[in-house]
Amino acid sequence: MPELPEVETIRRALVEPLTGKRIVSAKLKLPRLLLDFPPAEFAAKLRGQTVKAVIRRGKYLVLELSKDSLIVHLGMTGQLTAAPARAPENPRFLRTVTGLQKPEGVHPVDKHTHMVLNLDKGDRLLFRDPRTFGKLALVPGASWKTHPRLAKLGPEPLEMKPEAIARTFPANSLRPVKALLLDQEFVAGVGNIYADEALFRAGINPKRKVKTLKSDEKLRLLKAVKDVLRKGIKYQGTTFSDYRKPDGGKGDNYERLLAYGRGGFPCRACGTTLRKTVVAQRGTVFCPVCQK
DNA sequence: AATTCGCCCTGTCGGC
DNA sequence: TGCCGACAGGGCGAAT
C-alpha cells in the first residue's frame, strides 16, 4: 500500500510532468471517491487551472492549482500515472506467474481508471484504483492544510528531531507500539510495511505496550522509522502488488525488506523463523528473538 | 478520553 | 474446473 516513501516517489516523479501544465479537461468516473464537494462541479472547477506545485503531506499528495488544491489519497491500491501524449491507449495486460500485470512503462485506461486529467498537448494524469479506498478532495486556494483529513496529521517523520518526538510518546498508554506508529496523528506517513520494518530494525516487539518503552528504545525506534523511510524512497517504493511509479515501473524496495512479507522465512539477522501475527488489526511480522 | 471494532471495496489464492 | 470463503488494509465512525 502506498505509504510515505511510495507517495514521495510519486510526488518527485510528477513534479516535472505536471508543474506549469494546464488542465484542459477533467473527468471523474467514480464520484464517490470525492469528499466534501458536489461531483457535478468537479470537472468544471478543474478546467483551465494550472498546476503550481506538487506537495506531499504524510500519505497525501496535493496538487496546488492556480485557484484550488486537489488532494489525493491513494488508499490501498491507488495509482497515479503521468501518461505522455502518444502513450498506448489500451495496452493488453500481461499474464505472468504473479497474475495479471501491466507492462512496464505503459498506462492503462480500464474500468479501474476513476479520474482522468487531460493536460496541455495531450499529456494526461490518470488515477487508477481497483479497490477504491482512495479519496479525492478539491478545496479552495491552499486551504488543504486545514482540511479535516490533513489538519490533525502528526509531524513529518523525515523532518522531525527524534529527541523531540520521543517526548510525545503517551506516558501511560497500554496500546501496542505498532498501533502508535500506524496512528497518523502521532507521525504522518507510516503504514503497515514501514511500521514492521522500523520495529524490526529497532529490535522492539510490535506488541510492546507504549508505556513500557524506555527512552533509548523510543529514540532507536524513531531513528529506525527515518532510516526505513529513507531507504524506501531511495529504492523508489515497495511493490508487491499494485504500487507503481507514475511511469508504470515498480519500486525496488520489496526484496530489500527485512520483516514485512517475510513471515515463515528466516530472520536476516539471526536465522530464526519470522513469526506472523496480528497486532492492531494488521498483519504483523516480527522476529521473536531479535525483537524484545 | 482512549482504544478497539466494523465497515468500505475487489482481486487473488487456497481448499475442496 | 469452479465455487467459496479468507485475506489484504487506511481511515473513519460507532461502540466499548
Side-chain angles (χ1 to χ4, degrees):
Chain A
M1 64 265 31
E3 305 178 24
L4 188 151
E6 289 74 35
V7 181
E8 177 61 19
T9 300
I10 291 167
R11 187 197 70 78
R12 292 181 185 184
L14 288 179
V15 167
E16 195 278 325
L18 292 187
T19 305
K21 297 290 167 58
R22 186 169 153 272
I23 299 170
V24 174
S25 65
K27 186 165 285 183
L28 180 64
K29 300 181 180 182
L30 189 61
R32 66 176 161 80
L33 298 184
L34 190 59
L35 299 167
D36 330 315
F37 200 82
E41 297 175 34
F42 182 75
K45 200 96 165 150
L46 283 174
R47 191 178 307 126
Q49 297 207 45
T50 300
V51 180
K52 297 296 184 187
V54 186
I55 296 165
R56 182 193 56 75
R57 176 79 173 95
K59 301 174 192 172
Y60 290 85
L61 197 76
V62 181
L63 305 189
E64 281 191 348
L65 309 173
S66 34
K67 294 194 186 106
D68 303 311
S69 293
L70 179 61
I71 301 170
V72 181
H73 192 288
L74 297 172
M76 277 196 53
T77 56
Q79 304 166 336
L80 282 170
T81 52
R86 292 193 300 278
E89 180 59 35
N90 280 303
R92 292 273 172 202
F93 276 59
L94 301 177
R95 181 170 287 282
T96 70
V97 286
T98 54
L100 287 176
Q101 295 196 344
K102 178 169 75 61
E104 295 290 310
V106 293
H107 310 272
V109 175
D110 62 14
K111 64 174 179 173
H112 300 302
T113 305
H114 306 309
M115 182 185 70
V116 177
L117 300 186
N118 294 300
L119 308 171
D120 296 326
K121 297 172 187 162
D123 293 346
R124 289 174 303 164
L125 179 70
L126 310 174
F127 177 66
R128 182 175 182 272
D129 183 9
R131 274 175 232 184
T132 72
F133 275 31
K135 289 285 178 272
L136 301 168
L138 190 59
V139 300
S143 67
W144 58 268
K145 292 168 187 168
T146 57
H147 188 280
R149 290 264 183 156
L150 288 99
K152 295 195 325 186
L153 291 178
E156 281 294 321
L158 294 179
E159 293 166 17
M160 74 189 182
K161 288 236 189 307
E163 297 77 8
I165 306 302
R167 291 192 282 272
T168 70
F169 278 69
N172 300 309
S173 173
L174 297 172
R175 294 171 95 183
V177 60
K178 179 168 176 178
L180 189 66
L181 287 183
L182 294 174
D183 186 342
Q184 301 299 296
E185 296 185 31
F186 179 64
V187 289
V190 177
N192 207 34
I193 298 170
Y194 296 96
D196 276 9
E197 292 300 295
L199 288 160
F200 178 87
R201 281 212 182 209
I204 295 171
N205 189 299
K207 284 188 171 144
R208 277 280 295 282
K209 296 182 194 323
V210 172
K211 67 178 289 187
T212 71
L213 293 174
K214 299 182 171 56
S215 53
D216 67 307
E217 292 178 311
K218 297 176 187 174
L219 216 51
R220 232 193 302 146
L221 180 56
L222 293 170
K223 287 179 175 169
V225 166
K226 297 183 77 159
D227 286 343
V228 299
L229 294 177
R230 278 193 287 247
K231 180 182 172 191
I233 293 171
K234 178 180 177 184
Y235 293 106
Q236 302 190 83
T238 299
T239 298
F240 60 92
S241 58
D242 295 276
Y243 165 69
R244 293 293 184 282
K245 296 183 287 175
D247 66 0
K250 299 179 181 181
D252 297 322
N253 200 47
Y254 185 57
E255 56 266 35
R256 293 179 167 83
L257 297 181
L258 304 179
Y260 183 89
R262 302 199 66 249
F265 291 95
C267 172
R268 297 206 205 268
C270 76
T272 304
T273 300
L274 296 180
R275 199 166 291 169
K276 173 112 192 249
T277 179
V278 174
V279 180
Q281 293 79 240
R282 296 288 177 260
T284 300
V285 176
F286 69 103
C287 175
V289 172
C290 295
Q291 294 177 255
K292 293 304 180 191

